[in-house]
Amino acid sequence: MKLAGKNQAWERHQKHIPTIDEEGGKLWGCFRSCFLQSAAPYTEGIGYKILKNDLGMELREAPGHTSCGAIGYHGDVSNLETQMVVAARNFSVAHHELGVDNLFSFCVTSFANYTEMIKLWEEEPEWREYTEKTLKETTGREFWIPHVSGGRPSVVHASDVFFANREKLAAKAKYSLKGVKAVDHIGCHYGKIFPGECLGGAEFPQVLVGLLEAFGAEIVDYPERRHCCGMGFRQCAFPENRDYTASSVYKKLKSLKEAHPDCHLILTNCPGCTVFLDAEQGTIKEVLEEEFNVSILDYAQLTGLLLGYDPFKDCGLNAKVVPIEPLLDKIGIPYDKSKTAEERRRPF
C-alpha cells in the first residue's frame, strides 16, 4: 500500500489521550491485569515506576477493584449481563471513591471488554438501564461512564498513555534505539475488536510504532506482522490445544526471519503476546531444534530499559526465555558480565 493510503488510514483512526501537559493528564485511575499479575507482574511494576517517577503522574487504584472478568466471558463461563455490572461497578468505584475521571487498563483484554460495555450502553439504552438498575440494587453504587478520549464515552490502554507522552519519555532516555531494527506486534484485543479505538486502526496501528520511532528505531515490515500470537484462551489453557499457540508463533517468527534476519526485537502491548511470543520460542527450540532469538518486550519494559532502569531487577528481563543480553549489547546498556546468565536472572 502506498504511503498516501497509509496516511489516510491513520487519519481515520485517531483518538485523543490526555498528556501530562493537559488538564487532568497527571491524574489517572488504573485497572491492573489479573493475567499480568499471575504471569508477568514485572510489566505493571516498571509501568508504575515510569508513569509516577518519570512523568510525575498520580495513579489511583481502588482496593475494591476486581478483575474485569473478560477471560471468563470469552471462555463462556460468565454472561454479558454479568460483564456489564462488573464493569459499571469498577467505573463507579474509580470515579466516586477515588475521584478520577481518566481511566486506563494495563490489559488489552480489559480495554476491549470495557470498550464493549461502554458501546453497548451507548447504542442499546435498554442495556444501560438494566446495568444502572442492577448496579444500584446489588451494590448501592451510582452508575458512571468514563469519557477519556476526546470527551466521548471511552477508556484507554496503558500503551496509549505511553504513546501520548512518548516525546517526553524520549527526551529523558539515557539510551537510544538508533541502529536497531524493530517491529510492533499489536494485541488482537487492542486493535482488532474495535479498530476505531486503536491508534491508526488494525492494519496500520501507531501506538507502538510511534514509541519505537521516538526512541530512534528502524521499523521493518514482514508478511505475518498482523498475525495473532496464537495465545487464545482456549489454546494456551488446555495442553491438547497448545500446539496451536506454538505453531502461530512459529509462523510469525519464520516470516520475520525470512524477511529481516537481522531484526531481533518485537514490541508488544498485550500481556499474553508478551509471554507467549517469548515462551514458545523455547518450545520451538526444544521440539524443532530451530532458534529465532527474537527478544519480546512490551512498551513499559523497553521504555524502562532506555530510561536506565535495571534490566533484571526493574524490567523483569530475568523472566525471559530468549536471552536478552545480545539486545542489551546492541543498544549499549551495561549489565554485570562478571555474573553468569543464571546468576543475572536471580537479581533479588
Side-chain angles (χ1 to χ4, degrees), residues 198-212:
C198 169
L199 282 164
E203 293 300 322
F204 307 106
Q206 293 294 306
V207 65
L208 299 180
V209 166
L211 196 62
L212 286 168

Side-chain angles (χ1 to χ4, degrees), residues 135-146:
L135 179 70
K136 187 69 174 179
E137 290 176 348
T138 57
T139 70
R141 299 183 182 278
E142 299 297 325
F143 184 79
W144 175 78
I145 298 179

